């Protein structure tokens, strides 16, 4: 069973649960290139450039390098003690992975040394962590949607990287996720689209 897909050029990586990670060529014909076993249950995958990260539940978050031919090589693993890795997002340019642990913890992990990924920040806002957007706000900050805390941004590449996160909207705003469109954060909720910027909110 496929739980998540990441596209890298003309190939796709599939998080295939107990089947590990599969790499398939999409063009010009669909072709299975590789099956890679994982230590845990592969539930999410993210790819940026030649690096890919896989969320493996009890197996932690594994880091892989993909060759131009689509061959995967396992490089390292981030293993938070006593935690389950449920999701991973790696926004471009790909230095940091944002990792959802259990249901309500966000870890920011530095991938500069992919053989030894290291946590540089941990956050817990209250309630569940619903979603982390795939892209960065203003090219600098990751955006997370929390059950009780609303929308928060995490400075990864700006003038004060890895400083305290800043609030965008601190009320409950649904659980359907968040996407970035130009300079706006779009959150669907109760049949409406809510549009947010850093300093204002519009319905």
């Amino acid at each position: 069973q496929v739980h998540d897909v990441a596209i890298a050029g003309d190939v796709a990586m599939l998080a295939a649960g107990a089947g590990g990670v599969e790499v398939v060529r999409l063009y010009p014909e669909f072709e299975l290139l590789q099956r890679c076993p994982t230590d845990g249950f592969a539930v999410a995958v993210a790819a940026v450039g030649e690096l890919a990260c896989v969320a493996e539940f009890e197996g932690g978050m594994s880091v892989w390098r993909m060759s131009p031919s689509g061959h995967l090589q396992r490089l390292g693993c981030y293993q938070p003690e006593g935690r389950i890795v449920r999701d991973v997002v790696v926004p471009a340019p790909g230095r940091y992975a944002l990792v959802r642990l259990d249901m309500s913890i966000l870890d920011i992990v530095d991938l500069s040394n992919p053989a030894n990924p290291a946590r540089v920040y941990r956050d817990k806002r209250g309630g569940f962590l619903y979603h982390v957007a795939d892209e960065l706000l203003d090219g600098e900050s990751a955006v997370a949607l929390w059950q009780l805390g609303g929308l928060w941004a995490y400075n990864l590449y700006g003038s004060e990287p890895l400083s305290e996160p800043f609030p965008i909207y601190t009320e409950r705003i649904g659980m359907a996720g968040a996407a970035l469109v130009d300079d706006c954060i779009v959150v669907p909720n109760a049949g409406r689209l809510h549009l947010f910027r850093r300093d204002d909110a519009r319905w």
Side-chain angles (χ1 to χ4, degrees), residues 3-4 13-18 20-21 38-46 52-64 74 77-78 84-90 98-101:
H3 295 266
D4 195 21
M13 291 181 60
L14 313 179
V21 179
T38 51
D39 292 340
F41 195 83
V43 290
V45 59
C53 295
V54 179
E56 301 187 18
F57 259 47
E58 293 91 345
M61 180 200 71
S62 54
V63 184
W64 307 70
R74 186 181 174 112
C77 183
Y78 171 63
I84 293 174
V85 177
R86 293 183 177 271
D87 198 9
V88 59
V89 173
V90 185
L98 292 106
V99 184
R100 180 163 66 105
L101 306 182

Side-chain angles (χ1 to χ4, degrees), residues 79-165:
Q79 183 68 69
E81 185 176 355
R83 301 293 181 183
I84 293 174
V85 177
R86 293 183 177 271
D87 198 9
V88 59
V89 173
V90 185
R95 176 173 177 178
Y96 299 102
L98 292 106
V99 184
R100 180 163 66 105
L101 306 182
D102 301 334
M103 297 296 291
S104 57
I105 296 174
L106 175 65
D107 276 3
I108 299 176
V109 177
D110 192 339
L111 303 176
S112 297
N113 179 3
N116 187 28
R119 186 183 81 204
V120 291
Y121 192 85
R122 172 169 284 182
D123 199 19
K124 183 177 173 64
R125 288 280 133 194
F128 297 141
L129 171 59
Y130 282 146
H131 181 74
V132 178
D134 293 330
E135 298 178 353
L136 298 178
L137 180 64
D138 298 332
E140 298 179 351
S141 301
V143 175
L145 176 63
W146 295 87
Q147 179 188 21
L148 302 180
L151 286 167
W152 287 74
Y154 300 79
N155 190 340
L156 301 182
Y157 298 103
S159 59
E160 298 181 8
L162 304 176
S163 56
E164 285 297 307

